[in-house]
Amino acid sequence: MAKIGITETVLRDAHQSLIATRMRTEEFVDILPQMDKIGYHSLECWGGATFDACLRFLDEDPWERLRTIRKKCPDTKLQMLFRGQNMLGYRHYSDEVVDYFVKKSIDNGIDILRIFDALNDVRNLETAINAANKYGGHVQAAISYTTGPVFDVDYYCHYAKQLENAGASSICIKDMAGLLTPYGTYDLVKALKETVNIPIQLHTHYTSGLASMVLLKGIEAGVDVIDTAMSPLAMGTSHPATESMVAALKGTEYDTELDLKALSEVRDFFAPLRQKYLDNGLLDPKMLGVDANTLLYQVPGGMLSNLNSQLKQAGKEDQLEEVLAEVPRVRKDAGYPPLVTPSSQIVGTQAVFNVIMGERYKMVTKEFKDLVAGKYGATPCKIDPEFQKKIVGDDEIITCRPADLLNDTIEQFKSEISEYYEQEEDVLSYAQFGQVAVKFFEKRRDKKYGLDGKHDNIETKVHPV
């Protein structure tokens, strides 16, 4: 048995899960050289919602963040989360744009791309997988784990084989909602190890309180790498603590060979940051507890906070239980999509509308209509044709790969931002985030020329992060 690898998530998913991705580069940059010496399998530090948050909330260039981490961590593999044909945005993009984004991610320092699709539709991963292999990246194809009538071990083994055949170099079980149970994990990992001939990595969240046990049983079943977070930003809706898992495996056949004393120094750096986030309200103590509703309703922690926020804005906070009960019903109607970005937001928002309108599907969001119409890809279960007709009306049902209908080009996006263009990567920021990116470009330009950076005339649509 080889040693267990550790992917450290404190620079990306840990703070995305706990403080809505608000950690600034300047807050962690000083600890990077020490983290580079730890011996992690990889640092998960980019992608997911970090790109959006940098532009929208932090006035940071996400590309500059990546280059800074790369410079400070020359000896550790850098890893990102990539939403397949969605890249880091909330809709599908053309193959040309996806290919270019993968290239620039690798050019700027990414080694491992964890690529997933919200519907587990392998067609939505092929372009990104091919591009990552073409440009020399490591493709880690992820299974979006969920529960439901079709999601048994055979389903996941079949999908894993599809991913391996598509060109994946490793497989990640991505349990974004903390739904895995210890013994279920053991059986799943055992079956996957017998199905594919590439490494298996295990990613889970502590939301339901089972994550440490899930990792331990996964390791016993043959998992090669696990995701953990430094303890100040671990637990709750985040991940098991790095130091705890390293200590649990020390002296066993699964020993990570990481130095607890060195990890303690990294922990001491992040501890004051945790306190800072508690003091300024970014870190809600509720996010640090165990929420059994996760197992009942299959609602990820981040989605739960979004539902709370939407109900609060509508003055209907007292209807949270009704919304939580409605989420599985909407999910069933929509073909049982796994609840991960963007499907979690789509299903959750529709559930909120169904409850506050007092009538199911009286009002339907554009995104839900697109999901039911096949514009995000094939759902795991077929959608009832009568329901489809009710939601979509006379609009066309898409059965091809959605990206086959797209033809947006790099040149087109480049021409639209010619007045702001400073680096090749700007076109990709704009392609995904439109006016949010333009607002950032304006502030960047104003700083350069010493202006005040106020541009209140630009409207931005706030997406849940």
Side-chain angles (χ1 to χ4, degrees), residues 148-185:
V150 298
F151 301 105
D152 55 14
V153 169
D154 288 343
Y155 169 91
Y156 289 118
C157 286
H158 174 71
Y159 187 49
K161 198 65 189 173
Q162 282 186 304
L163 296 173
E164 182 182 35
N165 291 339
S169 301
S170 63
I171 298 284
C172 173
I173 304 168
K174 179 177 167 56
D175 177 26
M176 58 280 175
L179 298 177
L180 279 170
T181 60
Y183 290 99
T185 302

Side-chain angles (χ1 to χ4, degrees), residues 372 384-394 397:
V372 173
D384 177 66
E386 281 187 33
F387 178 77
Q388 214 165 26
K389 177 78 173 168
K390 175 182 175 181
I391 301 300
V392 177
D394 294 327
I397 303 298

Side-chain angles (χ1 to χ4, degrees), residues 259-311:
D259 183 351
L260 275 169
K261 189 169 182 297
L263 284 170
S264 179
E265 291 171 11
V266 178
R267 179 223 165 263
D268 291 346
F269 178 89
F270 283 102
L273 271 180
R274 171 195 168 99
Q275 192 57 51
K276 173 183 170 181
Y277 299 142
L278 283 166
D279 292 344
N280 66 17
L282 266 181
L283 179 53
D284 184 342
K286 286 186 207 163
M287 305 302 280
L288 299 171
V290 169
D291 189 348
N293 277 336
T294 295
L295 297 171
L296 290 173
Y297 302 119
Q298 298 113 42
V299 173
M303 181 179 170
L304 189 62
S305 57
N306 277 329
L307 294 177
N308 257 320
S309 172
Q310 287 174 326
L311 287 170

Side-chain angles (χ1 to χ4, degrees), residues 18-37:
L18 291 176
I19 60 166
T21 331
R22 298 301 199 273
M23 189 187 289
R24 297 176 175 276
T25 304
E26 65 189 32
E27 290 179 308
F28 63 74
V29 68
D30 290 344
I31 196 61
L32 292 176
Q34 280 172 267
M35 294 182 78
D36 190 41
K37 294 175 188 156

Side-chain angles (χ1 to χ4, degrees), residues 279-389:
D279 292 344
N280 66 17
L282 266 181
L283 179 53
D284 184 342
K286 286 186 207 163
M287 305 302 280
L288 299 171
V290 169
D291 189 348
N293 277 336
T294 295
L295 297 171
L296 290 173
Y297 302 119
Q298 298 113 42
V299 173
M303 181 179 170
L304 189 62
S305 57
N306 277 329
L307 294 177
N308 257 320
S309 172
Q310 287 174 326
L311 287 170
K312 200 171 186 178
Q313 287 169 12
K316 305 275 189 179
E317 290 167 89
D318 58 329
Q319 292 185 294
L320 179 62
E321 283 298 319
E322 291 172 62
V323 170
L324 287 174
E326 177 66 3
V327 166
R329 292 194 288 264
V330 173
R331 184 171 167 246
K332 179 184 177 183
D333 292 340
Y336 284 100
L339 295 179
V340 63
T341 303
S343 57
S344 54
Q345 288 90 335
I346 295 170
V347 169
T349 301
Q350 189 58 53
V352 169
F353 277 135
N354 285 1
V355 169
I356 65 177
M357 297 301 291
E359 182 184 328
R360 303 188 76 222
Y361 306 111
K362 182 178 181 180
M363 181 184 289
V364 178
T365 67
K366 178 187 181 298
E367 290 78 11
F368 187 76
K369 188 176 178 181
D370 287 348
L371 175 65
V372 173
K375 291 184 180 178
Y376 288 91
T379 52
C381 292
K382 285 199 178 300
I383 299 172
D384 177 66
E386 281 187 33
F387 178 77
Q388 214 165 26
K389 177 78 173 168

Side-chain angles (χ1 to χ4, degrees), residues 177-287:
L179 298 177
L180 279 170
T181 60
Y183 290 99
T185 302
Y186 186 90
D187 292 341
L188 176 59
V189 172
K190 272 284 188 195
L192 287 173
K193 293 295 280 188
E194 291 167 5
T195 302
V196 297
N197 297 308
I198 51 179
I200 305 284
Q201 185 155 349
L202 183 53
H203 169 99
T204 188
H205 289 252
Y206 222 101
T207 323
S208 64
L210 299 175
S212 293
M213 293 181 280
V214 162
L215 291 187
L216 199 56
K217 293 306 289 185
I219 288 165
E220 289 175 358
V223 150
D224 301 280
V225 185
I226 58 173
D227 285 13
T228 60
M230 291 306 303
S231 57
L233 288 175
M235 317 294 275
T237 52
S238 181
H239 312 279
T242 302
E243 309 95 300
S244 304
M245 290 307 301
V246 168
L249 300 174
K250 198 164 185 61
T252 73
E253 60 185 302
Y254 312 113
D255 200 321
T256 65
E257 298 177 14
L258 299 190
D259 183 351
L260 275 169
K261 189 169 182 297
L263 284 170
S264 179
E265 291 171 11
V266 178
R267 179 223 165 263
D268 291 346
F269 178 89
F270 283 102
L273 271 180
R274 171 195 168 99
Q275 192 57 51
K276 173 183 170 181
Y277 299 142
L278 283 166
D279 292 344
N280 66 17
L282 266 181
L283 179 53
D284 184 342
K286 286 186 207 163
M287 305 302 280

Side-chain angles (χ1 to χ4, degrees), residues 51-52 54-57 59 90-91 93 412-413 415-420 426-445 453 455-463:
F51 202 100
D52 186 349
C54 279
L55 292 172
R56 193 185 300 270
F57 302 116
D59 286 335
Y90 305 101
R91 67 169 180 87
Y93 298 88
Q412 166 201 329
F413 289 125
S415 68
E416 290 174 18
I417 57 159
S418 55
E419 63 178 301
Y420 304 111
D426 285 346
V427 71
L428 291 161
S429 301
Y430 173 71
Q432 294 171 97
F433 296 105
Q435 289 302 310
V436 171
V438 168
K439 192 169 183 179
F440 168 77
F441 296 152
E442 289 194 330
K443 287 181 179 176
R444 181 179 66 183
R445 180 189 62 190
H455 294 275
D456 297 330
N457 59 319
I458 293 178
E459 292 182 12
T460 59
K461 181 181 176 186
V462 177
H463 291 274

